[in-house]
Amino acid sequence: VESDLNKDPKIKIIGTANSYDSVIEKAALLLPDVILLDLRMPGHDKDDLKNYIAAIKSKSNSKVIVFSNEVGWARIHRCLDVGASAYIEKAISIGRLAEFIHRIHENDEILIYTAEKLPIIQFSKRQKEILHFIANGKENDEIALHLEIDVKTVQSYVNEIKSKFAESFGIHPIRPRTLLLLASKLG
């Protein structure tokens, strides 16, 4: 990974760590813009991921990219839900890692890159329309204004969409950040 990233003149690797505690210490000392975080480093209890990401962000204000071989929509959702900016599957991304780092750093994107298949979800015409607006970052009141419907009606459609996502992806509850990301993937 290091040798591949060193080929990009815009990326400078300022440190590496071999444990979660070391990541936190180095983040505070080096203040990186982006941190690649492996889920399988020593000193990590999966239940503490939220605390580790919170500690990293409080010490350095870095964007955290979870870079892992572990897959599954529930795991991906959990990583994003606790504050990661991206979830990138190692096995399929090595040639594009620099591109993803740039997108997250420069465009403030939330990103998932995985071989996990997206489930096929049947949406009504109106749900698809609202999903498209969500994917474009529109708030419920903006959607209501554009579609000339009540904001409570929009919220009802959004809840239906969330319910379909939750059922299809096995993620409960669907948080706003995850809804935006899934909407952008499917919308």
Side-chain angles (χ1 to χ4, degrees):
V1 172
E2 258 185 273
S3 63
D4 196 52
L5 292 178
N6 280 327
K7 294 175 188 173
D8 188 314
K10 292 183 179 180
I11 294 178
K12 180 180 178 187
I13 297 174
I14 59 173
T16 59
N18 58 8
S19 73
Y20 276 86
D21 292 334
S22 181
V23 170
I24 294 168
E25 289 170 17
K26 289 191 177 191
L29 179 67
L30 301 172
L31 304 175
D33 294 322
V34 176
I35 293 174
L36 288 178
L37 186 67
D38 193 327
L39 288 180
R40 293 200 179 231
M41 285 195 308
H44 168 62
D45 178 354
K46 289 183 183 182
D47 296 330
D48 289 338
L49 185 62
K50 181 178 182 176
N51 295 332
Y52 281 113
I53 290 177
I56 289 167
K57 289 183 167 223
S58 73
K59 304 274 186 196
S60 68
N61 201 27
S62 302
K63 293 177 182 171
V64 177
I65 297 173
V66 173
F67 187 56
S68 180
N69 282 324
E70 297 184 28
V71 294
W73 287 110
R75 177 170 284 113
I76 292 167
H77 171 263
R78 186 168 166 275
C79 290
L80 297 175
D81 191 43
V82 298
S85 295
Y87 189 98
I88 299 173
E89 188 179 324
K90 285 181 184 181
I92 63 167
S93 67
I94 202 70
R96 297 185 63 194
L97 188 56
E99 170 199 340
F100 297 145
I101 290 171
H102 289 299
R103 286 172 55 185
I104 291 157
H105 178 254
E106 296 163 11
N107 302 331
D108 213 21
E109 280 189 53
I110 300 171
L111 179 71
I112 294 173
Y113 194 76
T114 179
E116 288 288 304
K117 297 269 189 255
L118 288 172
I120 296 171
I121 305 171
Q122 297 298 318
F123 293 106
S124 70
K125 183 179 178 185
R126 182 62 91 177
Q127 288 170 337
K128 287 178 185 176
E129 198 173 20
I130 290 174
L131 192 59
H132 180 73
F133 282 112
I134 294 169
N136 288 318
K138 301 293 184 204
E139 298 291 331
N140 290 352
D141 56 343
E142 295 173 289
I143 297 169
L145 188 63
H146 185 78
L147 296 177
E148 298 177 353
I149 59 177
D150 189 75
V151 72
K152 288 183 181 182
T153 304
V154 171
Q155 185 57 50
S156 177
Y157 279 112
V158 169
N159 287 337
E160 291 170 5
I161 291 167
K162 283 181 174 181
S163 179
K164 287 183 177 189
F165 279 155
E167 184 179 317
S168 297
F169 286 93
I171 302 169
H172 301 279
I174 296 285
R175 303 242 192 306
R177 184 175 172 155
T178 306
L179 176 62
L180 176 61
L181 187 60
L182 292 175
S184 67
K185 285 239 180 245
L186 298 172

